[in-house]
Amino acid sequence: MQNMTKQQYDRYIRQMEPKSPLWKDVCFAFLIGGAICALAQLIQNGWGMLGLDKTDAGAATSVSMIFLGALLTGLSVFDDIAKVAGAGTLVPITGFANSIVAPAMEFRSEGLITGMAAKMFTVAGPVIVFGVSASVLYGVILCIVQAL
């Protein structure tokens, strides 16, 4: 192996690496991500049947899905679903809940403040910062475009 050229080594690595079941992964991500969204729609319909208007039912659904994502993360079920679904669990709001709860649970042994509270936003923090920053930037651009 030491006498191989870069091209020979790259060929050797491609032969040895496990083949990724791309289409299976895509199908599972689509189906499980869709199932999460369908569950959210059922929950929203349920809130609507309980008398909430569409806006309030949407807010209650978001809270319900965040709670379910956090609960499933706490029970170590979310990770099992994510192993099969892949990116299908990242897109819905449940993935956001998981990104906050998982680091908090991982660092809880370090204490309430220095562990759980300090590490809770290690994954979601940059998403929040860049999301808010992008929103402000887009809002400024929109104001400028509308003023022209």
Side-chain angles (χ1 to χ4, degrees):
M1 258 198 271
Q2 293 178 358
N3 296 330
M4 287 183 175
T5 65
K6 182 176 179 354
Q7 291 82 11
Q8 290 172 325
Y9 184 73
D10 288 343
R11 230 177 301 126
Y12 173 74
I13 292 298
R14 278 195 301 276
Q15 289 173 351
M16 298 306 289
E17 69 186 3
K19 303 299 180 226
S20 174
L22 179 65
W23 289 107
K24 183 185 101 174
D25 292 346
V26 168
C27 288
F28 277 128
F30 177 78
L31 292 172
I32 296 175
I36 292 170
C37 294
L39 174 65
Q41 186 63 53
L42 289 171
I43 291 172
Q44 183 174 8
N45 292 348
W47 284 118
M49 286 191 288
L50 290 174
L52 295 179
D53 65 18
K54 190 172 183 174
T55 303
D56 291 340
T61 301
S62 294
V63 170
S64 300
M65 293 304 291
I66 290 169
F67 172 77
L68 284 174
L71 178 66
L72 291 176
T73 300
L75 297 174
S76 298
V77 174
F78 196 91
D79 290 339
D80 294 336
I81 296 170
K83 285 177 187 171
V84 176
T89 58
L90 296 177
V91 177
I93 199 166
T94 52
F96 181 73
N98 175 263
S99 71
I100 292 175
V101 175
M105 293 198 44
E106 183 178 345
F107 293 103
R108 69 179 175 220
S109 63
E110 294 180 19
L112 183 63
I113 303 298
T114 58
M116 194 171 74
K119 305 289 186 173
M120 186 181 300
F121 292 101
T122 54
V123 176
V127 174
I128 294 169
V129 168
F130 288 113
V132 170
S133 300
S135 306
V136 170
L137 179 64
Y138 298 151
V140 168
I141 292 170
L142 181 63
C143 287
I144 292 170
V145 168
Q146 287 180 342
L148 297 177

